Short mmCIF file of all heavy atoms in Angstrom, two decimals:
data_model
loop_
_atom_site.label_atom_id
_atom_site.label_comp_id
_atom_site.label_asym_id
_atom_site.label_seq_id
_atom_site.Cartn_x
_atom_site.Cartn_y
_atom_site.Cartn_z
N LYS P 23 0.86 -1.20 0.01
CA LYS P 23 0.00 -0.04 -0.02
C LYS P 23 0.85 1.24 0.01
O LYS P 23 0.62 2.21 -0.70
CB LYS P 23 -0.90 0.01 1.23
CG LYS P 23 -2.12 -0.88 1.12
CD LYS P 23 -2.94 -0.79 2.35
CE LYS P 23 -4.01 -1.83 2.42
NZ LYS P 23 -4.76 -1.84 3.70
N ARG P 24 1.92 1.23 0.79
CA ARG P 24 2.85 2.37 0.84
C ARG P 24 3.55 2.55 -0.47
O ARG P 24 3.71 3.73 -0.94
CB ARG P 24 3.76 2.20 2.00
CG ARG P 24 4.73 3.32 2.19
CD ARG P 24 4.80 4.04 3.44
NE ARG P 24 3.89 3.87 4.50
CZ ARG P 24 4.25 3.84 5.78
NH1 ARG P 24 5.46 3.90 6.12
NH2 ARG P 24 3.29 3.76 6.69
N LYS P 25 3.99 1.49 -1.07
CA LYS P 25 4.70 1.61 -2.38
C LYS P 25 3.79 2.12 -3.44
O LYS P 25 4.15 2.97 -4.26
CB LYS P 25 5.24 0.24 -2.81
CG LYS P 25 6.53 -0.10 -2.17
CD LYS P 25 7.17 -1.35 -2.83
CE LYS P 25 8.55 -1.53 -2.32
NZ LYS P 25 9.28 -2.50 -3.05
N LEU P 26 2.54 1.65 -3.50
CA LEU P 26 1.61 2.11 -4.50
C LEU P 26 1.24 3.60 -4.25
O LEU P 26 1.08 4.38 -5.16
CB LEU P 26 0.36 1.28 -4.51
CG LEU P 26 0.54 -0.13 -5.03
CD1 LEU P 26 -0.75 -0.98 -4.87
CD2 LEU P 26 0.94 -0.11 -6.51
N GLN P 27 1.13 3.96 -2.92
CA GLN P 27 0.84 5.35 -2.64
C GLN P 27 2.01 6.28 -3.11
O GLN P 27 1.77 7.31 -3.68
CB GLN P 27 0.66 5.56 -1.12
CG GLN P 27 0.39 6.97 -0.71
CD GLN P 27 0.39 7.12 0.82
OE1 GLN P 27 0.56 6.15 1.52
NE2 GLN P 27 0.12 8.31 1.25
N PHE P 28 3.27 5.82 -2.89
CA PHE P 28 4.34 6.66 -3.33
C PHE P 28 4.46 6.66 -4.86
O PHE P 28 4.86 7.67 -5.40
CB PHE P 28 5.68 6.08 -2.77
CG PHE P 28 5.86 6.33 -1.29
CD1 PHE P 28 6.52 5.46 -0.46
CD2 PHE P 28 5.30 7.41 -0.71
CE1 PHE P 28 6.67 5.68 0.88
CE2 PHE P 28 5.47 7.67 0.69
CZ PHE P 28 6.18 6.75 1.47
N ALA P 29 4.15 5.54 -5.48
CA ALA P 29 4.24 5.48 -6.96
C ALA P 29 3.14 6.33 -7.66
O ALA P 29 3.42 7.00 -8.66
CB ALA P 29 4.21 4.06 -7.45
N PHE P 30 1.90 6.23 -7.17
CA PHE P 30 0.81 6.87 -7.88
C PHE P 30 0.13 8.00 -7.12
O PHE P 30 -0.61 8.78 -7.72
CB PHE P 30 -0.24 5.83 -8.28
CG PHE P 30 0.35 4.71 -9.08
CD1 PHE P 30 0.46 3.43 -8.57
CD2 PHE P 30 0.71 4.95 -10.40
CE1 PHE P 30 0.97 2.42 -9.38
CE2 PHE P 30 1.27 3.91 -11.15
CZ PHE P 30 1.39 2.65 -10.64
N GLY P 31 0.28 8.08 -5.80
CA GLY P 31 -0.46 9.05 -5.00
C GLY P 31 0.22 10.34 -4.86
O GLY P 31 -0.48 11.38 -4.58
N ASN P 32 1.52 10.41 -5.10
CA ASN P 32 2.24 11.73 -4.90
C ASN P 32 1.99 12.56 -6.10
O ASN P 32 2.01 12.14 -7.27
CB ASN P 32 3.71 11.44 -4.71
CG ASN P 32 4.01 10.82 -3.39
OD1 ASN P 32 3.25 10.87 -2.49
ND2 ASN P 32 5.14 10.19 -3.28
N ARG P 33 1.78 13.81 -5.84
CA ARG P 33 1.65 14.81 -6.95
C ARG P 33 3.10 15.26 -7.35
O ARG P 33 3.96 15.34 -6.51
CB ARG P 33 0.81 15.97 -6.61
CG ARG P 33 1.27 16.73 -5.39
CD ARG P 33 0.33 17.88 -5.09
NE ARG P 33 0.77 18.56 -3.88
CZ ARG P 33 1.57 19.56 -3.85
NH1 ARG P 33 2.14 20.02 -4.94
NH2 ARG P 33 1.95 20.14 -2.71
N PRO P 34 3.30 15.55 -8.59
CA PRO P 34 4.61 15.96 -9.01
C PRO P 34 4.99 17.35 -8.46
O PRO P 34 4.11 18.26 -8.36
CB PRO P 34 4.57 16.01 -10.51
CG PRO P 34 3.12 16.08 -10.85
CD PRO P 34 2.36 15.47 -9.74
N LEU P 35 6.21 17.48 -8.02
CA LEU P 35 6.67 18.78 -7.48
C LEU P 35 7.18 19.66 -8.70
O LEU P 35 7.87 19.15 -9.57
CB LEU P 35 7.77 18.55 -6.52
CG LEU P 35 7.43 17.73 -5.28
CD1 LEU P 35 8.67 17.49 -4.46
CD2 LEU P 35 6.39 18.42 -4.50
N THR P 36 6.77 20.89 -8.68
CA THR P 36 7.20 21.79 -9.74
C THR P 36 8.13 22.88 -9.15
O THR P 36 7.95 23.29 -7.98
CB THR P 36 6.02 22.47 -10.42
OG1 THR P 36 5.19 23.14 -9.45
CG2 THR P 36 5.13 21.41 -11.10
N TYR P 37 9.07 23.28 -9.95
CA TYR P 37 9.94 24.35 -9.50
C TYR P 37 9.66 25.62 -10.27
O TYR P 37 9.60 25.64 -11.50
CB TYR P 37 11.41 23.90 -9.79
CG TYR P 37 12.42 24.98 -9.50
CD1 TYR P 37 12.73 25.38 -8.22
CD2 TYR P 37 13.04 25.71 -10.53
CE1 TYR P 37 13.65 26.33 -7.99
CE2 TYR P 37 13.94 26.69 -10.32
CZ TYR P 37 14.27 27.00 -9.03
OH TYR P 37 15.12 28.04 -8.81
N LEU P 38 9.44 26.69 -9.54
CA LEU P 38 9.23 27.96 -10.12
C LEU P 38 10.39 28.83 -9.75
O LEU P 38 10.67 29.02 -8.56
CB LEU P 38 7.91 28.63 -9.62
CG LEU P 38 6.66 27.86 -9.96
CD1 LEU P 38 5.48 28.52 -9.33
CD2 LEU P 38 6.49 27.82 -11.46
N SER P 39 11.10 29.34 -10.78
CA SER P 39 12.27 30.13 -10.54
C SER P 39 11.90 31.52 -9.97
O SER P 39 10.91 32.12 -10.43
CB SER P 39 13.04 30.29 -11.80
OG SER P 39 14.16 31.15 -11.61
N THR P 40 12.64 32.02 -9.05
CA THR P 40 12.44 33.37 -8.53
C THR P 40 13.21 34.41 -9.31
O THR P 40 13.03 35.59 -9.13
CB THR P 40 12.85 33.44 -7.08
OG1 THR P 40 14.22 33.05 -6.98
CG2 THR P 40 11.99 32.49 -6.21
N GLU P 41 14.04 33.92 -10.22
CA GLU P 41 14.82 34.82 -11.07
C GLU P 41 14.16 34.97 -12.42
O GLU P 41 13.67 34.01 -13.00
CB GLU P 41 16.24 34.25 -11.21
CG GLU P 41 16.98 34.07 -9.94
CD GLU P 41 18.32 33.38 -10.15
OE1 GLU P 41 18.53 32.86 -11.19
OE2 GLU P 41 19.05 33.33 -9.17
N GLY P 42 14.28 36.15 -12.97
CA GLY P 42 13.80 36.34 -14.33
C GLY P 42 14.95 36.24 -15.36
O GLY P 42 16.09 36.02 -14.97
N GLU P 43 14.57 36.40 -16.62
CA GLU P 43 15.62 36.27 -17.62
C GLU P 43 16.68 37.32 -17.52
O GLU P 43 17.85 37.15 -17.83
CB GLU P 43 14.98 36.33 -18.98
CG GLU P 43 14.25 35.06 -19.40
CD GLU P 43 13.73 35.06 -20.80
OE1 GLU P 43 14.43 35.58 -21.68
OE2 GLU P 43 12.62 34.66 -21.02
N ALA P 44 16.30 38.57 -17.12
CA ALA P 44 17.19 39.64 -16.98
C ALA P 44 18.29 39.36 -15.96
O ALA P 44 19.46 39.59 -16.23
CB ALA P 44 16.43 40.94 -16.59
N GLU P 45 17.90 38.80 -14.83
CA GLU P 45 18.90 38.48 -13.78
C GLU P 45 19.85 37.41 -14.25
O GLU P 45 21.07 37.45 -13.97
CB GLU P 45 18.22 38.09 -12.49
CG GLU P 45 17.60 39.20 -11.72
CD GLU P 45 16.16 39.47 -12.21
OE1 GLU P 45 15.67 38.70 -13.07
OE2 GLU P 45 15.55 40.47 -11.75
N ILE P 46 19.34 36.41 -14.95
CA ILE P 46 20.18 35.34 -15.42
C ILE P 46 21.19 35.84 -16.47
O ILE P 46 22.36 35.53 -16.40
CB ILE P 46 19.31 34.21 -16.10
CG1 ILE P 46 18.51 33.53 -14.99
CG2 ILE P 46 20.21 33.15 -16.78
CD1 ILE P 46 17.50 32.57 -15.47
N MET P 47 20.72 36.67 -17.38
CA MET P 47 21.65 37.29 -18.42
C MET P 47 22.73 38.11 -17.74
O MET P 47 23.86 38.14 -18.09
CB MET P 47 20.84 38.08 -19.39
CG MET P 47 19.93 37.23 -20.26
SD MET P 47 20.70 35.92 -21.20
CE MET P 47 21.37 36.85 -22.52
N GLN P 48 22.28 38.86 -16.70
CA GLN P 48 23.25 39.74 -16.00
C GLN P 48 24.30 38.91 -15.28
O GLN P 48 25.49 39.24 -15.32
CB GLN P 48 22.53 40.64 -14.97
CG GLN P 48 23.38 41.57 -14.22
CD GLN P 48 22.58 42.37 -13.17
OE1 GLN P 48 21.45 42.22 -13.07
NE2 GLN P 48 23.32 43.22 -12.45
N SER P 49 23.90 37.83 -14.62
CA SER P 49 24.88 36.99 -13.91
C SER P 49 25.82 36.30 -14.92
O SER P 49 27.05 36.18 -14.60
CB SER P 49 24.20 35.95 -13.04
OG SER P 49 23.55 35.03 -13.86
N ARG P 50 25.33 35.91 -16.08
CA ARG P 50 26.23 35.31 -17.10
C ARG P 50 27.20 36.40 -17.63
O ARG P 50 28.34 36.01 -17.85
CB ARG P 50 25.38 34.78 -18.26
CG ARG P 50 24.67 33.51 -17.92
CD ARG P 50 23.92 32.93 -19.08
NE ARG P 50 23.24 31.74 -18.71
CZ ARG P 50 22.29 31.17 -19.46
NH1 ARG P 50 21.95 31.70 -20.62
NH2 ARG P 50 21.69 30.08 -19.03
N ALA P 51 26.75 37.61 -17.78
CA ALA P 51 27.65 38.66 -18.22
C ALA P 51 28.76 38.93 -17.18
O ALA P 51 29.88 39.15 -17.53
CB ALA P 51 26.86 39.95 -18.53
N GLU P 52 28.35 38.89 -15.94
CA GLU P 52 29.32 39.15 -14.87
C GLU P 52 30.35 37.99 -14.81
O GLU P 52 31.56 38.21 -14.63
CB GLU P 52 28.63 39.23 -13.48
CG GLU P 52 27.84 40.50 -13.27
CD GLU P 52 27.03 40.50 -12.02
OE1 GLU P 52 27.15 39.48 -11.22
OE2 GLU P 52 26.31 41.46 -11.75
N GLU P 53 29.91 36.72 -15.02
CA GLU P 53 30.82 35.60 -15.05
C GLU P 53 31.75 35.73 -16.22
O GLU P 53 32.97 35.43 -16.07
CB GLU P 53 30.06 34.29 -15.14
CG GLU P 53 29.33 33.85 -13.88
CD GLU P 53 28.48 32.68 -14.07
OE1 GLU P 53 28.54 32.01 -15.20
OE2 GLU P 53 27.75 32.26 -13.13
N ALA P 54 31.27 36.15 -17.39
CA ALA P 54 32.17 36.33 -18.57
C ALA P 54 33.17 37.43 -18.29
O ALA P 54 34.33 37.32 -18.70
CB ALA P 54 31.33 36.61 -19.78
N ALA P 55 32.72 38.51 -17.64
CA ALA P 55 33.63 39.63 -17.34
C ALA P 55 34.72 39.17 -16.37
O ALA P 55 35.86 39.54 -16.50
CB ALA P 55 32.87 40.81 -16.78
N ASN P 56 34.32 38.37 -15.41
CA ASN P 56 35.31 37.88 -14.40
C ASN P 56 36.32 36.97 -15.07
O ASN P 56 37.54 37.03 -14.76
CB ASN P 56 34.62 37.13 -13.30
CG ASN P 56 33.88 37.99 -12.34
OD1 ASN P 56 34.15 39.22 -12.27
ND2 ASN P 56 32.92 37.47 -11.62
N LYS P 57 35.88 36.12 -16.02
CA LYS P 57 36.80 35.26 -16.71
C LYS P 57 37.84 36.06 -17.59
O LYS P 57 38.98 35.74 -17.62
CB LYS P 57 36.07 34.26 -17.60
CG LYS P 57 35.37 33.16 -16.86
CD LYS P 57 34.69 32.19 -17.76
CE LYS P 57 33.95 31.13 -16.96
NZ LYS P 57 33.26 30.18 -17.87
N LYS P 58 37.28 37.14 -18.22
CA LYS P 58 38.20 37.96 -19.05
C LYS P 58 39.21 38.68 -18.16
O LYS P 58 40.38 38.82 -18.52
CB LYS P 58 37.39 39.03 -19.81
CG LYS P 58 36.74 38.53 -21.08
CD LYS P 58 36.08 39.67 -21.82
CE LYS P 58 35.45 39.18 -23.10
NZ LYS P 58 34.82 40.30 -23.80
N GLY P 59 38.75 39.16 -16.97
CA GLY P 59 39.65 39.85 -16.08
C GLY P 59 40.71 38.93 -15.57
O GLY P 59 41.88 39.33 -15.43
N LYS P 60 40.38 37.74 -15.26
CA LYS P 60 41.38 36.77 -14.78
C LYS P 60 42.36 36.41 -15.85
O LYS P 60 43.54 36.31 -15.61
CB LYS P 60 40.68 35.49 -14.25
CG LYS P 60 39.93 35.68 -12.95
CD LYS P 60 39.32 34.39 -12.48
CE LYS P 60 38.53 34.62 -11.20
NZ LYS P 60 37.88 33.39 -10.81
N LYS P 61 41.88 36.33 -17.08
CA LYS P 61 42.77 36.01 -18.21
C LYS P 61 43.71 37.15 -18.47
O LYS P 61 44.88 36.91 -18.71
CB LYS P 61 41.92 35.71 -19.48
CG LYS P 61 42.70 35.17 -20.65
CD LYS P 61 41.76 34.83 -21.74
CE LYS P 61 42.60 34.22 -22.89
NZ LYS P 61 41.77 33.91 -24.07
N LYS P 62 43.27 38.40 -18.42
CA LYS P 62 44.14 39.57 -18.55
C LYS P 62 45.21 39.60 -17.47
O LYS P 62 46.40 39.98 -17.77
CB LYS P 62 43.34 40.87 -18.56
CG LYS P 62 42.55 41.05 -19.88
CD LYS P 62 41.81 42.33 -19.83
CE LYS P 62 41.02 42.55 -21.14
NZ LYS P 62 40.29 43.81 -21.12
N ASN P 63 44.77 39.32 -16.22
CA ASN P 63 45.75 39.34 -15.14
C ASN P 63 46.86 38.28 -15.31
O ASN P 63 47.96 38.54 -15.00
CB ASN P 63 45.04 39.15 -13.75
CG ASN P 63 44.23 40.31 -13.39
OD1 ASN P 63 44.54 41.45 -13.75
ND2 ASN P 63 43.27 40.10 -12.51
N ARG P 64 46.49 37.12 -15.83
CA ARG P 64 47.46 36.06 -16.11
C ARG P 64 48.43 36.53 -17.21
O ARG P 64 49.62 36.26 -17.11
CB ARG P 64 46.75 34.79 -16.47
CG ARG P 64 46.38 33.96 -15.30
CD ARG P 64 45.93 32.55 -15.73
NE ARG P 64 44.52 32.45 -15.59
CZ ARG P 64 43.69 31.77 -16.31
NH1 ARG P 64 44.14 31.12 -17.35
NH2 ARG P 64 42.39 31.73 -16.09
N ASP P 65 47.88 37.20 -18.24
CA ASP P 65 48.74 37.63 -19.37
C ASP P 65 49.70 38.68 -18.91
O ASP P 65 50.86 38.75 -19.37
CB ASP P 65 47.87 38.16 -20.51
CG ASP P 65 47.09 37.06 -21.18
OD1 ASP P 65 47.47 35.86 -21.02
OD2 ASP P 65 46.07 37.40 -21.84
#
């Protein structure tokens, strides 16, 4: 009964992001800038 309940009785969990596309693009740009800065410092 417990196995069947776990297999069929649970509802699927959904993930809703608290970040929008603008924040994601900004963080990617910051990461790219950090990588360029580290590369320039090594050069």
Side-chain angles (χ1 to χ4, degrees):
K23 283 180 188 175
R24 181 122 350 141
K25 278 191 174 192
L26 290 173
Q27 178 187 1
F28 288 149
F30 302 111
N32 290 339
R33 59 182 175 85
L35 300 176
T36 56
Y37 173 74
L38 298 175
S39 176
T40 57
E41 300 173 348
E43 286 186 41
E45 287 86 5
I46 293 172
M47 296 301 282
Q48 182 182 0
S49 67
R50 287 183 182 166
E52 288 174 3
E53 287 175 8
N56 287 340
K57 286 182 183 179
K58 279 186 180 180
K60 288 180 181 179
K61 188 175 182 181
K62 286 181 181 179
N63 287 338
R64 275 193 249 147
D65 291 342

